[in-house]
Amino acid sequence: MSTILDPTAGTLKGADLEATEQEETSMPTSRPDTTETPALQSAEIPEQVESAVTAFTASRDRFEQLCSFLGEQEAGSLTHGELEQRLSIDVRELVRQLYQDHLDLRTVREQRRDDLVDADGIRRGTVETGHARPLQTIFGAVEVTRLAYRRRGGGNLYPGDAALNLPRERHSHGLRELSAIESSRGSFQEAREAIQRASGVQLGKRQLEQLAARAATDVEAFYSQPTRTQDPATEADLLVLSADGKGIVMRPDALRPATAKAARHGTAKLATRLSKGEKRNRKRMAEVGAVYDLRPQARTATDIIGRDDQALRPAAPKATNKWLTASVVDNAATVITAIFDEAQRRDPTGKRTWVALVDGAKHQIDCIQAEAKARQVNVTVVCDFIHVLEYLWSAAWSFFTEGDTAAEKWVGHKALAVLNGQASTVAASIRRKATTLDLDPARRRNADRCADYLLAKRDYLDYPQALEQGWPITTGIIEGACRHLVKDRLDLTGARWGLHGAEAILKLRALRSNGDFDAYWRYHLSQERQRVHQRRYADTTIPTAA
C-alpha cells in the first residue's frame, strides 16, 4: 500500500514513531507462500522500466521551475529578505525531490537475491515487491519502496532498509540528531522552533522527548570504550575526581520512593506557600561526576588568603581534558563508580596522583573510599575550602552584628589558620569564644555547627599538603558542572520531568560539554545499524540490496 506524502505536512503524531515498527512485524497469515507476488500498486512508485537517465526528471522539472521564477518580474520585485525566505522553502523542496528521486532509483535497481538467510538460518525465498514505508527527513517527507523477504510467522527482512540504515521509526537519523542537539540546548518549545526554522518540519514535544531518548541510548556503551582519544597527559599531571548533586523537579511518578512517600504524607501549615523549614518533596537528586587532568602548581596559604596585591597571587591550576557525567536514574555510588572507571582508563597502571574533591558530604566520601579500596588505588580526599569559608562566615554572625567589618578580619584569620593545618585548634577556639561570651543556645548554634564540621572533616582538611603538592582545594569544576548540566536546562521555570526524559537530556548535555557529540553520533549510528538490521541476518552480515 502506498501513501501520498505532503512535504509541507503539519505536526506529526506521537504514534508515528512506532508506525514502521508495526509494519516490520505484520504479515498477512492468509497469503500463500509464493516465490513471486504481484507488486503493490501505487501512483508514487516509479515504473520498473525507468532508467537512471530519467530517474531525476521530477527534480530537473522543479529546478527549471525555480530558475524560471527567479527570471520573472515577480522575483525581481522582492527584497533580499523576501527572496531568502522564498528560496529557503523552494530549495528545501528541490532537495526533498532529489532525495525522493534517488530513493526511487534505488527501488528500480534493487535486485532480488536467492541466497538471503535470516538470523535463524532460514532462507527467505518468498519475495514481494512494492513494500513502501514513509521517512520524515530534514528536507521533508519521502517514501522508501523496497523488496520484502517474507517468512510465515516472522517479520519481513528489507535489505534495502539495511543499506540505507533506516531507523525503526518514521523520523530519520538526521532529524533525531537535530532533535538531540536542540532539545539538550534549550526548552522543548525552543527546540521545536529551531528545528522548524532549519528544516520546515514540525515536531511535537512528545516526539522531541522520544527522539532525544533514542539518541541517548548508547552513551554508556560509548564511554565504556577503552580507546577513546584525548589530549595526552604526563605521569606528573594530577588526576582529579569530583562528585556532587543537584535536585530536579520531577513528576510524582518519577520521585525516589522516600521522597514520594514524604510528598504523599506531608502537610503544609499554609495553603499558598511553604513555612520555614518545610519542603515540597518534589525533587529527585541528579548525581554529577567529573574527572580532569591538572598540572600541579605549588602555593602557600598566603597565596590563597592574605595578599592585598592581587597581581602577586599565582594563578590557580588549570583543568584540562575535563570529562563530565550525570544521571538522575543512578545513585551517587553508581556515578562515583563511573568516574573511577574514567580515571582508571586514563591511568590504568596507577602511576599518577589521584585527588578527590568533595563538599564534605559523608556518603560521597564513603563511596569514594569504598571504590578506591575495591580497586586498590590510592586516592587523597580533600574537602572544598569554599565550604569551610561558608561555615566560618556562618559562625562569625554568632559573635558579630551583621555588617561589622571586624567579622571579615576574624574570618580571614581563622581561614588562614585552617589553611595552615590548624582546623582542630580553630574549632576549639570557636567553642571557647561562644562559651566565654555566654551565648544562648540559639545564638551559638552556627558557631557549634562550624566547630563540628571542622572536627568531623579534619582528616580531609590537610591543606598544607595540598598546597605544597600543587593540588586543587576548591570544587569549582563540579559546581560549575551542576549548574551547566542540570540547572541551566532542567531547572527551567514550570518544568516537571519524567525520569527517562530527564536522563536523556543529562546524558546529551554531558556529551556536548565533553566535546564528544560528533564521535558519539558516528558510534550511535553504527550501533543502530547492528541493532536494527545486522542482528536479523545470518552471521550478522547484511547482503547487498542491489
Side-chain angles (χ1 to χ4, degrees), residues 73-296:
Q73 184 63 36
E74 180 185 354
S77 65
L78 298 178
T79 66
H80 86 280
E82 293 169 334
L83 196 58
E84 282 179 334
Q85 186 176 20
R86 173 67 183 266
L87 286 176
S88 68
I89 296 172
D90 290 348
V91 170
R92 188 186 299 131
E93 173 55 24
L94 171 61
V95 176
R96 190 206 66 81
Q97 187 63 58
L98 284 165
Y99 201 147
Q100 182 65 68
D101 288 348
H102 172 75
L103 293 174
D104 293 343
L105 181 59
R106 284 189 178 224
T107 300
V108 174
R109 289 175 170 174
E110 185 176 11
Q111 300 296 314
R112 173 181 169 167
R113 300 183 61 98
D114 295 324
D115 58 349
L116 192 146
V117 180
D118 64 24
D120 295 328
I122 299 175
R123 188 179 73 86
R124 297 292 184 99
T126 302
V127 185
E128 288 183 1
T129 61
H131 278 238
R133 60 153 289 176
L135 181 67
Q136 185 73 30
T137 75
I138 59 174
F139 308 114
V142 295
E143 190 173 73
V144 184
T145 306
R146 67 277 201 240
L147 297 178
Y149 290 74
R150 308 290 294 270
R151 169 190 167 191
R152 185 178 294 276
N156 296 342
L157 291 182
Y158 300 98
D161 286 6
L164 287 163
N165 194 17
L166 294 182
R168 287 193 180 98
E169 71 271 14
R170 179 189 297 265
H171 302 86
S172 71
H173 287 145
L175 265 181
R176 184 188 298 184
E177 181 181 15
L178 196 55
S179 298
I181 292 172
E182 296 299 339
S183 295
S184 62
R185 176 180 293 158
S187 71
F188 286 119
Q189 180 60 35
E190 291 171 334
R192 289 181 63 190
E193 294 170 356
I195 292 170
Q196 187 171 1
R197 285 195 300 271
S199 67
V201 177
Q202 298 181 41
L203 296 173
K205 180 184 175 183
R206 184 183 174 192
Q207 280 93 40
L208 286 171
E209 286 184 303
Q210 291 175 328
L211 289 169
R214 289 183 188 258
T217 300
D218 299 306
V219 173
E220 291 184 5
F222 171 75
Y223 278 125
S224 69
Q225 298 177 106
T227 56
R228 294 196 336 270
T229 59
Q230 65 183 53
D231 295 335
T234 68
E235 291 184 5
D237 289 337
L238 298 173
L239 192 53
V240 185
L241 301 79
S242 195
D244 203 351
K246 179 70 177 175
I248 300 174
V249 177
M250 308 294 287
R251 297 170 188 155
D253 61 346
L255 295 171
R256 297 189 191 277
T259 309
K261 181 179 179 181
R264 286 194 303 269
H265 299 292
T267 56
K269 297 176 183 178
L270 303 177
T272 57
R273 61 176 296 162
L274 295 177
S275 301
K276 185 176 182 180
E278 291 182 339
K279 295 182 179 180
R280 293 191 185 278
N281 294 308
R282 61 177 187 171
K283 288 189 175 183
R284 182 177 176 125
M285 193 63 68
E287 303 294 340
V288 182
V291 179
Y292 55 93
D293 302 326
L294 188 141
R295 185 64 53 86

